[in-house]
Amino acid sequence: MTLNPWILGAGAVGLGVGLRALARLGFKRAKARRGASRSKLWNHFYSLDWGEAATNNYGFAPAEGASPERFQLQMYREHLKAFLASGGDPARARVLEVSCGRGGGLAHLLEAWPGDIEAVGLDLSAHAIAACRARFCDRDRLCFVEGSALDLPFADESFDIVINVEASNDYGDFPRFFAEVARVLRPGGALLYCDSRKPEDAIRVPEAMAAAGLRGRFVDITENVLQACRLDSDRRRALIDARAPWFYRALLRDEMLSYAAVEGSAKFQAFADGRRRYVTACAFKTPARAAAPKAERGLAPASQAAR
């Protein structure tokens, strides 16, 4: 029996549409969850070969320099500027980045810092930490550790600065994260923080930070981030086309472009329409609000993950 080629074609199209719908549903559910499911998604993301790309944030414009990732690196420079403008002392600093990804931002901060600095990058993804160690193994005063943002594997009051770039939305527990930050910060230490926000989190997140004893002012930089996304869209699109596996590009291209906030994508439009904002803060730990030692608080290892 000879099958009609039109029927075969229609069947193939239908199968493709169905597979794409299932893939999009699975991706959406994984992103919506917190904890182990989402940590697996990020660990898989970092297992892919992204070439020389070493940063993973939306970026800030205007940006200095000529690096292909200058907008992403500028976000770290902006944190340094905010720290110095707030009276922070850069003379000697031990810095922790929580959710360091592939490490490029922290390495850049190490180079730009005006004083002596020792830096530690932490991420829950074993693939991310492996990439960091492979790329930056020759850097003095820079090391990388695998661990959770909600159960930081460090002693109390062991850092002068904690930096957290565009990752806290994934943790699922803002109060616990900020409490852990306050615990590992020395009195007077600083949290350099930024992330995107939905309207319902506009009050909840600052309240959680303040409750942990971290005092600072949130600044809306959505327009700077939106401009960076617009100017960097061609590079991001090319990176996805060159490095993402073909089946991801076939089934989840729109989702990947939105994740990167490429101009015209759903995430880009959410920023442009004001349905999502991007905020940053330089918050200092008040000496009178030192967090209780970890052993006294009895924190159990958290299932929630760091990106």
Side-chain angles (χ1 to χ4, degrees):
M1 181 179 69
T2 302
L3 293 177
N4 189 313
W6 291 101
I7 295 177
L8 288 174
V13 170
L15 179 61
V17 171
L19 288 173
R20 187 168 186 270
L22 286 174
R24 295 179 69 179
L25 178 61
F27 182 78
K28 185 176 181 179
R29 286 180 174 176
K31 280 193 66 181
R33 293 171 181 165
R34 299 295 186 267
S37 295
R38 195 146 183 179
S39 69
K40 289 178 181 178
L41 176 66
W42 287 121
N43 196 41
H44 179 68
F45 173 85
Y46 284 119
S47 73
L48 303 178
D49 180 10
W50 295 106
E52 293 299 306
T55 60
N56 188 31
N57 67 74
Y58 293 130
F60 184 99
E64 304 169 33
S67 166
E69 297 181 275
R70 61 190 176 278
F71 299 106
Q72 289 73 26
L73 299 177
Q74 188 67 34
M75 188 68 79
Y76 288 80
R77 285 186 172 273
E78 294 302 312
H79 280 306
L80 174 56
K81 290 178 184 178
F83 175 72
L84 297 177
S86 299
D89 182 8
R92 292 187 63 83
R94 188 164 190 246
V95 178
L96 167 67
E97 181 174 15
V98 179
S99 299
C100 63
R102 291 170 64 89
L106 185 59
H108 180 73
L109 189 66
L110 189 73
E111 295 173 355
W113 200 265
D116 292 333
I117 180 176
E118 176 188 347
V120 179
L122 173 138
D123 204 286
L124 191 65
S125 168
H127 290 294
I129 294 301
C132 290
R133 290 171 175 167
R135 181 159 184 169
F136 301 111
C137 61
D138 60 338
R139 303 291 181 95
D140 294 332
R141 301 171 291 127
L142 176 62
C143 67
F144 297 94
V145 177
E146 185 179 341
S148 170
L150 301 184
D151 193 18
L152 297 174
F154 305 107
D156 299 344
E157 300 184 0
S158 52
F159 292 95
D160 302 291
I161 297 168
V162 173
I163 184 167
N164 185 245
V165 175
E166 211 171 292
S168 64
N169 286 333
D170 291 335
Y171 303 156
D173 192 337
F174 288 116
R176 183 164 179 167
F177 167 61
F178 290 131
E180 277 291 88
V181 170
R183 180 183 66 79
V184 302
L185 274 176
R186 293 169 181 145
L191 168 63
L192 308 180
Y193 173 85
C194 65
D195 212 339
S196 63
R197 282 286 167 269
K198 293 180 179 179
E200 57 265 30
D201 291 329
I203 297 176
R204 184 164 63 99
V205 175
E207 285 181 345
M209 184 182 288
L214 300 166
R215 298 291 186 267
R217 183 172 64 94
F218 279 79
V219 178
D220 191 312
I221 58 169
T222 305
E223 291 305 316
N224 303 89
V225 171
L226 193 61
Q227 180 70 353
C229 292
R230 182 179 292 112
L231 294 173
D232 198 34
S233 284
D234 288 345
R235 184 193 68 89
R236 299 178 195 187
R237 189 179 291 107
L239 180 64
I240 290 170
D241 289 341
R243 293 291 177 175
W246 69 266
F247 47 89
Y248 283 177
R249 298 196 306 273
L251 299 176
L252 295 169
R253 180 173 174 77
D254 289 347
E255 286 71 22
M256 298 185 75
L257 292 176
S258 183
Y259 167 78
V262 168
E263 186 171 16
S265 68
K267 182 63 65 65
F268 181 93
Q269 202 58 45
F271 282 129
D273 294 344
R275 289 178 287 112
R276 199 169 189 94
R277 309 302 294 174
Y278 199 105
V279 297
T280 184
C282 176
F284 288 87
K285 176 180 175 179
T286 54
R289 177 71 182 193
K294 187 173 185 176
E296 293 180 13
R297 293 183 295 114
L299 289 182
S303 62
Q304 287 96 336
R307 187 168 80 184

